[in-house]
Amino acid sequence: MRLYIIRFFILLGLFSPALASAITPASQLANSRVFTYAEANYPNIFTGKAAEEGHYQQYLYRYYPASGNYLGIDPAGDIFILGPYTGNELTAVGNVADYDSAITDWEDAQSITYDRVFAYAEANFPALFIGQVEGVGLSPQFPYYRHYPISDNSLGIDRKDDIFIWGPYTGGVQSIVGNVDDYRSAILAWEHQPSLRLDYPGFTVWLDCAKRGTTKFQYVAQRDTGNAPRYDSFFLDPNVPADCQQTSASAYGLNYDRGHLVPANHLDASAAAIKATNTMTNILPQAANMNRGAWLQTEEIIECYRDIDELLVIGGVIWGENSDDDAFLQSHSVQTPDAFWKVIIRGTGQDEQAIAWIVPNSQEATRDRLDQYLVSVSELEFKTGEKIPVADYAKDSKPDQSWMIPLDCNKS
């Protein structure tokens, strides 16, 4: 029943005649922020530095040996404590959403660290600060700075918390641009930008304003009954705030495609839906071989199996920490994801099946390597923090190979 309800609401968008997206705020707190808040505000429970962090079953956890307590968060955002504080009983203490206001208010009251200043500058002024190199001590004046080799600019903060820029942007002159306190309100406002749910005809994406890119997508692939032509142009969404999306709809270049999260071909019964898939909120830099190889093969599997069964498709982005391939911060203000993931769900009840992949965003991710990227749904939940609506009995199995494409499949 749960799966049918989800599919019903997604299908409402498929027959919407309007191209315009419906925007819904979807604020989310990162698990790391929850841990930091708990450690600072409940030191008698979570005492000292966590000696251990990892996954156990469905929980992301930290262990605090000084108090003997564990703090865990499951993929649904439910928070648990285990240890002497709870009589060694696993005890739920609420959901992450319950603590949203408290954590945000507490963070607002904290000092603005160097890392928060640099993160703000890099996200909001990508043309100036691109090609990050970790900060090192430059001189007694600047205990911490970062140099950005692509732009050749440097950003530094001195011991009085004054912020300086030097490089081509300032004509090589070391120039003060204000104090950390001057940027406090702007940094807090940026850090608290919401995630947005965008409901397009036929599909939904969740957009991270701070990343200027979509983190998750979802749609239902139904029987192929149409063959509407593909829309040629790519465009920004006029209904989405400019500071929440990419700054250009132009091609990426450097052997990266404007890669679709939701492909036009799966929505070819609706010209409006096809056009909506070319919105840049549905586009991210994808290595050409990956986009036309392993990722394309997952799309072809969906194209063929949607004629056999109605499919629920859920996928998303793993941004990662590899800055070496972030070549489009200056042109588009968006990072290059390290990987993409996708789950296909078919059937209901005892007949429910699922298949999942985590595909690296690499030129090596060719068609013949797709099976190497198979994961169980449970493993995918661990790595992404997502809660996938699949029956528990189907979460731990991983097929030996991807679903075979039938010989008589019409992929058009």
Side-chain angles (χ1 to χ4, degrees):
M1 178 62 71
R2 175 183 60 184
L3 189 54
Y4 280 125
I5 292 173
I6 292 171
R7 290 177 178 175
F8 173 74
F9 280 107
I10 297 173
L11 282 170
L12 289 179
L14 184 59
F15 301 102
S16 170
L19 174 62
S21 55
I23 303 176
T24 306
S27 179
Q28 296 178 339
L29 287 176
N31 290 335
S32 60
R33 293 170 66 188
V34 179
F35 286 123
T36 300
Y37 171 80
E39 291 162 3
N41 289 273
Y42 302 96
N44 59 318
I45 304 174
F46 311 111
T47 308
K49 186 176 181 180
E52 190 178 324
E53 179 174 342
H55 284 99
Y56 177 74
Q57 294 182 357
Q58 72 266 40
Y59 305 104
L60 174 68
Y61 74 90
R62 286 185 184 177
Y63 172 60
Y64 303 86
S67 61
N69 292 309
Y70 290 83
L71 179 62
I73 306 172
D74 72 9
D78 291 323
I79 304 171
F80 296 83
I81 300 174
L82 172 66
Y85 180 75
T86 61
N88 293 314
E89 294 286 338
L90 185 65
T91 303
V93 293
N95 189 276
V96 170
D98 300 330
Y99 294 87
D100 193 311
S101 296
I103 292 174
T104 299
D105 290 346
W106 174 76
E107 289 175 337
D108 288 353
Q110 306 309 302
S111 61
I112 302 296
T113 63
Y114 291 164
D115 284 340
R116 293 168 72 183
V117 175
F118 287 120
Y120 170 80
E122 290 159 8
N124 289 275
F125 304 98
L128 300 184
F129 310 115
I130 182 172
Q132 176 183 321
V133 173
E134 287 298 326
V136 295
L138 178 64
S139 70
Q141 181 182 4
F142 295 109
Y144 199 68
Y145 85 103
R146 287 185 182 178
H147 174 67
Y148 302 85
I150 294 178
S151 64
D152 202 27
N153 292 310
S154 294
L155 180 65
I157 306 173
D158 71 9
R159 298 182 187 280
K160 296 180 181 179
D161 283 348
D162 289 328
I163 304 172
F164 290 80
I165 301 175
W166 62 97
Y169 178 71
T170 62
V173 177
Q174 201 174 88
S175 304
I176 188 169
V177 293
N179 190 272
V180 170
D181 281 343
D182 299 331
Y183 291 88
R184 182 181 184 85
S185 295
I187 292 172
L188 291 174
W190 170 73
E191 289 178 337
H192 298 155
Q193 287 184 96
S195 295
L196 300 179
R197 171 177 170 157
L198 307 178
D199 292 309
Y200 291 104
F203 66 98
T204 297
V205 301
W206 285 262
L207 180 68
D208 185 333
C209 287
K211 293 286 190 183
R212 293 180 180 263
T214 286
T215 59
K216 182 181 174 183
F217 62 89
Q218 186 167 297
Y219 65 102
V220 169
Q222 294 182 300
R223 182 177 293 276
D224 190 353
T225 58
N227 197 23
R230 183 164 178 168
Y231 192 75
D232 291 334
S233 299
F234 293 80
F235 52 94
L236 302 177
D237 189 332
N239 299 300
V240 172
D243 58 358
C244 281
Q245 59 181 319
Q246 297 178 57
T247 52
S248 172
S250 64
Y252 295 116
L254 302 178
N255 210 22
Y256 279 84
D257 292 340
R258 286 177 289 198
H260 288 77
L261 301 177
V262 178
N265 197 35
H266 295 169
L267 303 173
D268 55 3
S270 165
I274 284 184
K275 183 177 180 180
T277 62
N278 273 22
T279 313
M280 289 301 288
T281 50
N282 185 49
I283 302 295
L284 283 170
Q286 290 187 341
N289 289 348
M290 174 266 192
N291 180 43
R292 307 171 201 183
W295 193 248
L296 175 60
Q297 189 173 2
T298 68
E299 296 173 349
E300 291 180 354
I301 290 171
I302 295 168
E303 178 65 22
C304 295
Y305 279 81
R306 69 174 175 145
D307 282 336
I308 302 171
D309 242 334
E310 182 180 280
L311 307 175
L312 175 60
V313 183
I314 306 172
V317 175
I318 297 176
W319 293 102
E321 299 180 357
N322 177 23
S323 61
D324 292 341
D325 58 3
D326 288 337
F328 312 111
L329 285 170
Q330 188 166 11
S331 59
H332 292 72
S333 300
V334 71
Q335 292 175 246
T336 302
D338 284 1
F340 295 85
W341 60 270
K342 184 178 289 183
V343 181
I344 308 172
I345 304 165
R346 59 183 293 209
T348 59
Q350 294 182 343
D351 297 325
E352 191 170 74
Q353 301 177 49
I355 188 168
W357 302 270
I358 296 177
V359 182
N361 193 15
S362 163
Q363 302 295 353
E364 306 300 318
T366 52
R367 186 182 188 91
D368 59 334
R369 295 187 175 183
L370 180 61
D371 291 349
Q372 298 177 22
Y373 311 134
L374 282 164
V375 294
S376 69
V377 173
S378 292
E379 184 180 351
L380 186 143
E381 288 183 331
F382 284 156
K383 291 184 177 181
T384 65
E386 291 290 335
K387 183 71 172 177
I388 306 299
V390 177
D392 289 341
Y393 72 81
K395 285 192 174 184
D396 293 328
S397 61
K398 182 181 76 172
D400 294 330
Q401 61 183 30
S402 302
W403 293 347
M404 297 291 292
I405 295 178
L407 293 176
D408 59 348
C409 173
N410 181 356
K411 301 177 186 176
S412 64

